[in-house]
Amino acid sequence: MSSTHPSPLHLAVALDGTGWHPASWREPVARPRDLFTAAYWADLVAEAERGLLDFVTIEDGLGPQSSHFLDPDERTDQVRGRLDAVLIASRVAPLTRHIGLVPTVVSTHTEPFHISKAIATLDYVSTGRAGLRVQITARPDEAAHFGRRTVPRIQAYDSPDAQELVTDLFDEAADFVEAVRRLWDSWEDDAEIRDAATGRFIDRDKLHYIDFEGRHFNVKGPSITPRPPQGQPIVSALAHDSVPYRLVARAADIGYVTPHDADEARAIVARIRAGQDAAGRAGEPLHVFGDLLVLLDDDPAAATARRERLDALAGQPYTSDAPIFTGTPCQLADRLEEFQEAGLTGFRLRPAVAGHDLPAITRGLVPELQRRGAFRRAYEADTLRRLLGLSRPANRYAAATA
Amino acid sequence: MSKPLKQIHLAAHFPGVNNTTVWSDPKAGSHIEFSSFAHFARTAERAKFDFLFLAEGLRLREQGGKIYDLDVVGRPDTFTVLAALAAVTEHIGLTGTINSTFNEPYEVARQFASLDHLSGGRSAWNVVTSWDAFTGENFRRGGFLPQQERYSRAKEFLATANELFDSWHGDEIVADQETGTFLRDARAGSFVHTGQHFDIHGRFNVPRSLQGRPVIFQAGDSDEGREFAASNADAIFSRYTTLEAGQSFYRDVKHRLPKYGRSPDQLLILPAATFTLADTDAEAEELAKAVRRRQVSGATALKHLEFVWNRDLSAYDPDGPLPDIDPDVGDNHISKGRAQVRMYRDPLATAREWRELAAAHNWSIRDLVIETGNRQNFIGSAETIARTINEFVQADASDGFILVPHITPTGLDEFADKVVPLLQEQGVFRTDYEGPTLRDHLGLAHPDDRREERAAS
């Protein structure tokens, strides 16, 4: 690593179907018929690992994709259907060695106990490379898939009702993460003793009830799964506004944010750092990654033309919560360095077309960043936490009794 | 003409939280590390087994208000391990126990359909039920389910999951890049379920998998459990391992099938069985005794008695006589989260019977637990074990066995190397996999074929 860069940047890709552009599946490289096979996902993650990326995230949802944010649609011209992200991550884990695996989990309708042991187990099957991306859902149709609660349809985002609903769902997500984290710590690292002399397999004084009590659920604990290799797998969340920024500040190791320029990036980072201080986490490392949707070609005009072609196929210009970057890997490297100076510590890139833009990241952007001394030339660590420069946390319960 | 020989089905159970495993053996490895599961699965696949099987635990057991510490404790998440095993195996079926009480149909159906896609059609679901508030304390719902509703919820859960699996027919994804048609049917995955336990509607978001739906396993010995299996399952686990008891169970369950419009070959009966293999029968007998003593320490024997006595017996000497006090017949308060508790429905009678047995044989507490506890089902040389397994299957005491070795992860190795070749020589066990899916291994029809048959008839 070059000494000219005080802190090298971190790089992740967000995998979603054939790519983030709704017409991406129509590109010749897209392999839309393979979307429900293990080989498809294994190939994408292997490509990301060839590029030495820190991790991949895998999108998920508890209902079909839709072109509307809050309602289902009945379109037949876009990819619909997906496999469970935690299972995809588990399926590819034994086929990879270094790259982090961060599936999306939905806190609104799932059980923290199940998710905690699933991600702990992903950490075992990947030997220390697991994380999760926690997400809420305010979609009434997804609530109807579970039938346990009704979620009122949001009419206007800035209405008090909508604010109250979203705040409540994010508070639940914070509780969810807290319960999951306590479960990961509910076994001390050396709880399994196999003491033949006394016949005890575990030292039960090193297992702890978590006694989590929240507004939406209680969890007794301890986990059935021993503490995972990383101690605490990585927790991450996408955030666009005050309420989700607070979740990131309170509960996450990585927040993904979507500034459109360096000034906005600086302002968001300041808000998250302030939230971190308020949550009593001032000293703790917390990454703030910028999310960018990317279309990359060696010729900037080719990237623009490709975007126009995809938009034409989709029947409308694609818009995103994240800034859309169209250009060359070299231009993107400039942009990332500019954002990094504004306080972002890494980036999660969303390939518009997975089969095209992922290789453009790994074979175009990564070598460019390496030339600038801004990115690793080999994996320097074997766990995701260490790749991200995070230490293995002490067990909260062991600390309390020490 | 003599009846053609039945083909034996074999599976392997990686023991989870249990007192089957002799964890103190120097050969015993981790129960958590993925390398253990990978070794176990590869051995079973090398031996051409039908499937491997993982149980589930959702709350750590307690004894006397404290976490039980004498057996193996702790296990990984079932779905996650099975998905990872799909990456290191090519053929073997992947069966997971998933509780229908502390899960929701949409999520479980997604997970199994995903596992079926990611394994190329090798997934199976052992549907189990629970009702207890003890386990419920780890879940959003809490301890909500009256005991009498456990099968009612399980039945509706499975029916709902099947509706979700069937909400895609398998031909909806066109993915025509030229015309821009991804889906043939705009409503693919639509479902509406209105019932006693679930009132849900919308669209399922995983397309139909290679097997149509996972193979369904069921365990449970009550009349209700047997009916549930006869009406819904592709295979049933049992614990009858003597020839006569096995035959009786086999006849009973298979006779229940016709009233559900099913033929006897549509439900396989697979008891769990342990084995002790050695070079000679005599050596195997000696080894089996040693294994039992290692499985049942003095402390374990006392805890086992506490299940029945429902009292703290720690003051008793495990090498001494049985307690002269009677069991506490009040609510169970000593032992929680342990299925075995339910095995002793009349503790006073059990205690009386055990005292008589111990007195007649001059057994200590530990002797009694060893003698009356789980037995090694198959003990002997490879020839003896192969012959006995085959006799059971040909005599319709089972359709095969789910083998539970007492050493993990290597406890299956010797069986694969020594017993399986003998079964193959006798022509009662496959020498290679014939199809890619677990349904192929088990000789079960694809659900869509059944659907077509029904439509044609």
Side-chain angles (χ1 to χ4, degrees), chain B residues 142-199:
Chain B
F144 71 104
L145 191 66
Q147 180 169 349
Q148 59 273 22
E149 282 182 27
R150 57 196 286 239
Y151 276 110
S152 138
R153 179 174 163 107
K155 272 183 208 162
E156 193 179 326
F157 193 108
L158 180 58
T160 310
N162 281 335
E163 287 163 26
L164 294 170
F165 295 134
D166 289 348
S167 67
W168 290 72
H169 299 285
D171 59 354
E172 290 93 343
I173 294 182
V174 185
D176 185 329
Q177 293 177 313
E178 289 301 312
T179 64
T181 302
F182 184 83
L183 279 185
R184 194 190 307 278
D185 176 3
R187 301 285 300 144
S190 297
F191 68 92
V192 178
H193 176 94
T194 308
Q196 186 191 343
H197 298 277
F198 306 105
D199 185 0

Side-chain angles (χ1 to χ4, degrees), chain B residues 91-341:
Chain B
H91 300 283
I92 194 157
L94 303 166
T95 303
T97 298
I98 294 295
N99 198 291
S100 62
T101 309
F102 302 110
N103 284 289
E104 297 301 318
Y106 194 93
E107 192 182 14
V108 168
R110 272 199 93 217
Q111 289 167 314
F112 270 114
S114 297
L115 180 63
D116 211 47
H117 280 286
L118 293 168
S119 65
R122 297 190 273 143
S123 74
W125 173 16
N126 177 35
V127 186
V128 297
T129 62
S130 177
W131 71 88
D132 66 303
F134 178 72
T135 305
E137 284 184 72
N138 281 334
F139 296 95
R140 286 179 190 255
R141 276 191 186 274
F144 71 104
L145 191 66
Q147 180 169 349
Q148 59 273 22
E149 282 182 27
R150 57 196 286 239
Y151 276 110
S152 138
R153 179 174 163 107
K155 272 183 208 162
E156 193 179 326
F157 193 108
L158 180 58
T160 310
N162 281 335
E163 287 163 26
L164 294 170
F165 295 134
D166 289 348
S167 67
W168 290 72
H169 299 285
D171 59 354
E172 290 93 343
I173 294 182
V174 185
D176 185 329
Q177 293 177 313
E178 289 301 312
T179 64
T181 302
F182 184 83
L183 279 185
R184 194 190 307 278
D185 176 3
R187 301 285 300 144
S190 297
F191 68 92
V192 178
H193 176 94
T194 308
Q196 186 191 343
H197 298 277
F198 306 105
D199 185 0
I200 62 175
H201 63 274
R203 283 178 71 186
F204 190 51
N205 70 347
V206 185
R208 197 161 179 80
S209 67
L210 200 58
Q211 289 195 113
R213 55 174 92 141
V215 174
I216 300 298
F217 291 82
Q218 218 273 312
D221 191 35
S222 65
D223 192 59
E224 267 188 303
R226 292 179 190 205
E227 286 297 318
F228 181 42
S231 59
N232 288 291
D234 298 305
I236 182 168
F237 297 153
S238 74
R239 55 165 192 268
Y240 293 96
T241 48
T242 68
L243 190 75
E244 296 71 25
Q247 286 173 320
S248 160
F249 180 80
Y250 193 98
R251 274 194 305 274
D252 177 85
V253 172
K254 297 250 176 176
H255 282 154
R256 294 172 190 245
L257 288 159
K259 71 175 162 209
Y260 298 105
R262 307 178 74 205
S263 59
D265 63 346
Q266 285 178 260
L267 180 70
L268 298 170
I269 294 174
L270 302 171
T274 59
F275 63 91
T276 307
L277 175 59
D279 288 342
T280 67
D281 288 356
E283 281 176 45
E285 288 290 349
E286 281 306 302
L287 181 57
K289 282 200 188 96
V291 166
R292 283 302 290 154
R293 286 199 81 74
R294 292 171 78 175
Q295 286 168 330
V296 182
S297 67
T300 298
L302 281 180
K303 297 296 177 196
H304 193 91
L305 237 59
E306 288 182 353
F307 303 151
V308 175
W309 261 258
N310 196 23
R311 291 175 186 279
D312 179 0
L313 300 179
S314 54
Y316 286 82
D317 176 6
D319 296 315
L322 267 63
D324 43 17
I325 54 167
D326 274 336
D328 176 353
V329 293
D331 286 348
N332 166 53
H333 51 78
I334 193 96
S335 177
K336 290 188 184 297
R338 191 178 181 106
Q340 239 168 324
V341 175

